[in-house]
Structure formats: C-alpha cells, structure tokens
Amino acid sequence: MSGAETVIRIDGVSQAFGAPGDPRRVVALESASLEIARGELLSLIGPSGCGKSTLLNIVGGLATPSTGQVTIAGQVVKGPSPQKVAFVFQENTLFPWRTVIDNVKLGMAFQGVPKSERDDRAQESLKAVGLADFTEHYPSQLSGGMKQRAQLARALGLQTEILLMDEPFAALDEQTRMVLGEDLSVLLARTGKTIVFVTHSLVEAVFLADRVAVLTARPGKIKKIISVEEAHPRKSSFMTSPKLSALRNELYELLHDEIRKTMTLRGETGQSHE
Amino acid sequence: MSKRLVQLGVLIAILVAWYVATLPGGVHPLLLPPPIPVFRNFGVLLTTSSIWPDLFVTVREWVTAFCLASTAGCLIGYLVSRSGYAVRVFDPLFAGLYSVPAILLFPLYLLFFGLGAGSKIAIGTTIAFFPVVLNTIAGLSYVDKAYITAAKSMGANSAQLFWSVMMPAAFPVILTGLRLGCIVAFLSILGGETISSLAGLGHRIVSLAENMETSQMFANILFAVAMAIIINGLVSFAEARGRRGFQ
Amino acid sequence: MSERRGPLLSPGITRLLVIIGLLVLWEVSARFYADPLFLCPPSQAVMALKHIFSEPKIVKAIEITVYEMVTAFLVSVAFGMTVGLAIGLHGFTKQAILPVVLLLYAIPQATILPLFVLSFGIGPAAKIAFGISHGIFPVIVTTVAGVQNLRAPLLTAAKSMGASRFQVFTSIIFPHMIPSFFTGMRLGMTAVLLGVLLAELYVSTAGIGFYTRLFAESFSPPDLFALIAVLAAIAVTLNEGCRTMERRFSRWHAM
C-alpha cells in the first residue's frame, strides 16, 4: 500500500473521561497516530477497554478527542460527516419498526439523498449483500447474520468513501462470521472503499485486513502494525494457509500480555479457566 | 381445548352455587338476588332504552376526561422529555404524586365543580393524566442510545431524529400509557359517580341499592362489568393495532 | 461523553424549588383572587391541621381509617399469597381458577361498593371488606406470576444435586418468590388504600366521608384541605413503606 494517498490521518489522539485529578478518571486512548491510505482495509485489534471503539467513534465524528485531531481528506473532523463516512455497529441498530429496505432508505433520507434515487440505490445495496429476497422483512424476522448484512447494506447505500465497522460480527456464531467474512472480502474488493474494522478476533483481523493495528491495554496506544500482503478478494484457501497462521500467531504473541494485563486490572484472573 | 372446558366448568359451578345460595333458607335476596331475575333484568337493560340517559352521561364524562388527560399528558411528557435535566426534575415528581391515592381529591372537586359532570371529569382527568405523562416521558427519554447514534452517524437532523427515530421507538410505550389512562379514567369516573353524583351509571347503581332493588342493581352492575370488559378488549385491540401501524 | 458543564443545581433541589414555587403560586392566587368559600391558601390549610387534631371525633375517624387500611392490607396479603401459591403451584388449579380470578379482577369494583355497605353496614367491616376486594387480586396475580417465572434450569440443577421436594421449596422456590411477594405487597397496598378511601368517602353518614361532606357543605376549605392532606400523608407513608421493603428485599434480583 506504500505510495497510496492518505485519506484518514489520526494525529496524536488521546481520549480521557472525567476531569484531570478525578480518581475515577479513565484514560481510554493515549496519543494514537495512524495514517490510512485510500482503498485500504485496516483492522484495529486489542484487549477490551483499550479504546478501539472510542478511536473509531472519533474518526467518525461521533466523539470528540480530548487532544489531537483526525483529518479526513485534509479536513479536520468536527462532527458526523455522513457524506464521507458510514458506520456499521456491533449492536443491531436497524430500526425495528421499519422493513429492511425502509431502513436502508431512511439512512439515505438522513444523509439527504433525493427521494427518487433511494429505491434503486437501496435495491442495489441489498442485492450486493445478498438480501434481495428479504427487502420487505422486518429486522425481527431476520437471523443475526442477516441483520448484520442489512446493516452493511444500509451503510453501503450511503455510498461513502469510508466505512467504519465496529465489531460488526461480534454477536454472531463462528460459522456465520466465517461466511460473512468471506463475502465481505469479495464485496469490499469490488467497491474499493477505505475501511477501518474493529474486531476481537485474531483470525478475522488477518483474514480481512491489509494492515492490522495492535493496541495496548488501557490506556490504549498503538503497539505495532502488521502488514498482510495478500490480494483481495481473499479466498477461503487463505484461511487455512500457513501464512495466515503465522500472522495469527504473531498477533497472539503481541496481544497475550496485554490481555492478561487488563484481566488483572479487573480481577478476572486467579483460577484460570482457559 | 380441555383448558377451555375446565374454565367453562368453573363458571357453571359458580352460577350453580349462586343459584343454590339463593334458594329458600339461603342468603337473603336483598343481599344476593337469585340469578334468573338478574339475567332477566339484564336482558331488559339491553333491549330497552331506559339506561341510555345514564350511559350517555358516563360516556361523555369519560371521553372528555380521557381527551383532556391524554392531551395534557402527552404534551407535558414531550416537553419534559426534551431535556435530560427536566426528566430528572419532573419524573420523580410525577411518580411521587402518582403514589398519592388521587381519589382523595374527589371531595375537593365536588366542592369546586359541584355534584354534576364537572367533578367526575376532573377526577377522571387527574387519575388518567399520570399513566399518560409517565409513559410519555419514559418512552421518549429512554430510547436506545444505539438508534440515536446510528441516526446521527447517517446525518439525521433533529426533526428527522424526532419523527423517524424517537417517536416510533417511544410509540409503544406511550400507547400503553394511553391504554391505562383510558381504563383508569372509566373506573375512576364510575367511582366518582358512586360516591356522589346526579346521574350516570354509578349513580344508577347507588340509587337502586338505596331503594333495595338488588336484582335491578345486579343487572346494572353486570352491565357496567360487561362494559368495562368490552372497553378493556377494545383498547387492548387498538393498542395492538397502533403498534403494528407504526412498524 | 466529553465533560459538559451541567446545570448549577442538582435535580433534587430544582424539584424542591418547583414545589415551593407552585405552593407560593397557590398561596398568592388563593389569597388575592379566589373565592374563600371554595379555595384556601395552603398556609390556612396548615393552620387548620391544629383544628383537625384537636377534634377527638375527627382523630378517631382517621385512626379507624388507618386501622381499616392495615387490616385490609394484612388480610389481602395473607389470603392473596395463600391463594396465589395454591393456584400457581398446580397446573390444574391455575387453568381452572386463574381466569376466574382475572375476570373478578376486571370488575369495576366501585359499582359493587353499595353491595358491601348493604351486606356489612356503614362501619369498618364494609370498608375493610371493600379494601380486601381491591387488594387481594393484585397479590394473587403477582404471586402466581412469581411461581410461573421460576426458571426450569434452576429446578433441574437442584434436582441434579439431589435436592428433596422440601429442599427445592425452601431453597429455590421460596427465595425466588421473595421479590414477587414484595411486588405483590406494594401493588396490594396501593389497591387497598384506594378501596378503603373509596368506601370511606362513599359512606357519608360516618367516618371520613361524613367530615369531607360536612366541610364541603359548610364551605370551610381549610379543614377539608387539612383532612385530605393528613390522609394523603398516611397513604404515601404506607405506600413508601411497601416500596422501600420491596427495594430492600429484591436487591439480588436486580443483579
């Protein structure tokens, strides 16, 4: 990815909750800096509470950093920028009172797409995620995997250059996330979007990403960035390749100590159940 | 199937027990009239227009009280829910007032508005106001944050946020408040009419009781019970429909 | 999530100020604009408390009302829980009796109030009975619901560890029921208060109902306001007592 133009520039971003000096003050992120190139897929991985999601929200303008700044295509992020950035959330944020297609269209209405264009665009993005036959279903009638596909369709319908995904598959079972991961890789290779993808899963991070950024335990700092040199779309054979295993093991080494650190902080270790 | 049979059996057993209890040597007919004349009188109530004037009075009081309470409840609930601070100030205040039995205000309303419809409308409105306002506040102020974040990330402005996210999310809760308000308005108006009134279903039952016409009285009670059950059913149906309508 | 400067006052203090403001508004409007035959300023109502408490007959009527409330509450809880357990623990009785209970619960009880007075007279008996007729249903329904909500895996787990029927009852069913016991008590209390007060107000020849009518007909709003305030305070105290108990004993449930 070297030589590609930088789209997202994260510049010394820190985030703290609570006033300085307050004993309950929590520093979630500490001077994180990253550059993300156009068309790149970057995974953020780290122990829980390390500020991955906070960082994603800051990039998307849903949170304001305590210090530092994020620029997207040269402009400083000051609030949500729906024309440039779309989100896929971990929780199901499909509006349960609307059908799948109406959910996709509502997103466009929020973004300001003219009414006449919404239907075609919604159909198209639902087709892209494989939900063409479920447009008139309500979210409650869909399985967990289908709900996440519908959320992805809603984000794609916004036709933004950047897609931010916050553990989109965390609530799904392993087999569903495997299939969704493969489909996502195909889809994303086709659209050429710039993507930041937060995940807990080592394999998922390696399988999908061009680069994996590893965060330390709280306060989150960027510990290391690993490159995955593999063309998109990734085939299922990549999943079983020694290359993926090696990268996964490297991530495991990097993360292991950090995860222990957070567990000790929260008193979850002792008798190990692992 | 057998469940229905069991329930039917219990109902029949109750009717039989009622009949047996009123046989000579049983309960005094002034306290418990035999079932047959009661049902005969109930039939007369349904087929003649004698109950209409009183029914009209009660229904008019009820509809007025419900309209006043739901308008005030929704409006005030909406205004309070607009600020998280106002919710923290007013929600406990309304909840606290709700734990005072509002029927205690009835003597005051009698003093202010007289024995006629005014005092019934006032007590019905007061009692129905609380479930409506509390549910409106609860519905609008506890919308899942994830929906709001998602809508904001897609660029929703505040009008879109209110009409496309807040309202549909809060609607089922508000609807429950309206249903409860509708029912308690009816019950408290009946209560008010029973305590002191000039006309209405409650008044009718009390004057029959004072004249010791118990079998007539039972027929009228049966009428009020049937009405309450029908109202309950209709309002629950409307609630279910309303929920679906907004989905 | 970033630090925002909150309003200067805590919500509790603002709430207090709102209440004080409303009282001042009431005081001013009643003092200067209202007809003294109908509305009195709150200060006069407070003064009238002295009159209310110096009249032994009124104090007696209030005492009797409290006695009625407490008795009706205790009977409702005792009978309601027994019936609720009996209904809830057996499938057959639940099918047969619960619908009947729900049917009776749906009766607008105000309409049968004259019947209670016909049967029990104008004394405390009618009012206690009417209070029970209000209070017993919510207790039954919550108790049944409490038995119903018992999670099957807990029972299976207990049985797998060799618990006897008695042990299952004392260590699983009973602790599990405690929150719904207290919820039932709270709902029962609210209903009992309504029932007793309805009956008290209905009987205008004795008790509270006599005095509310007397004060209204003699156009002495301060006495009326004072009497109602005393009853409201009693009701709120009893309600809050139940609510506090519920919170205290249901704590594990919130976890």
Side-chain angles (χ1 to χ4, degrees), chain B residues 50-234:
Chain B
S50 66
I51 201 173
W52 288 11
D54 281 316
L55 182 61
F56 180 73
V57 168
T58 301
V59 168
R60 200 179 64 106
E61 290 164 352
W62 170 45
V63 170
T64 315
F66 177 62
C67 288
L68 288 172
S70 50
T71 312
C74 287
L75 196 70
I76 294 175
Y78 164 71
L79 291 175
V80 168
S81 74
R82 293 198 46 169
S83 122
Y85 183 69
V87 171
R88 272 175 288 149
V89 172
F90 287 101
D91 198 42
L93 187 63
F94 289 132
L97 286 174
Y98 196 27
S99 81
V100 181
I103 195 72
L104 277 173
L105 292 173
F106 191 63
L108 289 176
Y109 290 158
L110 283 176
L111 180 66
F112 298 159
F113 305 109
L115 291 174
S119 52
K120 316 302 170 301
I121 293 172
I123 194 72
T125 308
T126 309
I127 293 181
F129 169 76
F130 287 99
V132 178
V133 78
L134 287 171
N135 277 49
T136 306
I137 294 175
L140 287 173
S141 57
Y142 300 117
V143 173
D144 192 339
K145 287 272 184 303
Y147 294 144
I148 297 171
T149 312
K152 280 188 180 156
S153 80
M154 294 185 277
N157 60 36
S158 50
Q160 286 172 325
L161 200 61
F162 182 74
W163 287 110
S164 303
V165 181
M166 305 290 281
M167 264 315 269
F171 193 64
V173 185
I174 297 176
L175 216 52
T176 303
L178 290 173
R179 174 174 62 82
L180 290 172
C182 192
I183 291 167
V184 296
F186 181 69
L187 297 180
S188 53
I189 282 167
L190 277 183
E193 286 179 347
T194 307
I195 293 174
S196 200
S197 61
L198 302 171
L201 288 179
H203 177 78
R204 207 179 148 89
I205 292 167
V206 172
S207 51
L208 288 167
E210 281 165 1
N211 295 330
M212 304 283 178
E213 296 187 56
T214 27
S215 102
Q216 279 278 8
M217 176 197 166
F218 264 73
N220 277 276
I221 290 176
L222 219 53
F223 188 90
V225 170
M227 207 174 144
I229 291 173
I230 289 170
I231 287 171
N232 226 322
L234 284 179

Side-chain angles (χ1 to χ4, degrees), chain A residues 15 17 28-29 44-63 87-91 164-168 196-200 215:
Chain A
Q15 179 72 303
F17 301 104
L29 265 178
L44 289 174
I45 195 163
S48 32
C50 74
K52 316 181 283 285
S53 298
T54 308
L55 184 57
L56 202 70
N57 287 342
I58 290 171
V59 172
L62 294 177
F87 266 94
V88 177
F89 297 96
Q90 171 186 358
E91 327 89 289
L164 304 179
M165 305 177 86
D166 189 359
E167 300 189 42
V196 185
F197 189 103
V198 170
T199 181
H200 260 120
L215 274 75

Side-chain angles (χ1 to χ4, degrees), chain A residues 117-156:
Chain A
E117 292 174 30
R118 289 180 208 158
D119 196 60
D120 288 344
R121 269 168 70 168
Q123 297 281 3
E124 196 186 313
S125 59
L126 283 167
K127 211 166 104 189
V129 300
L131 284 181
D133 294 336
F134 296 91
T135 54
E136 298 302 325
H137 282 59
Y138 284 98
S140 58
Q141 297 169 305
L142 303 181
S143 67
M146 284 157 93
K147 279 181 196 152
Q148 287 312 79
R149 284 177 193 268
Q151 282 213 81
L152 181 59
R154 188 168 69 180
L156 292 176

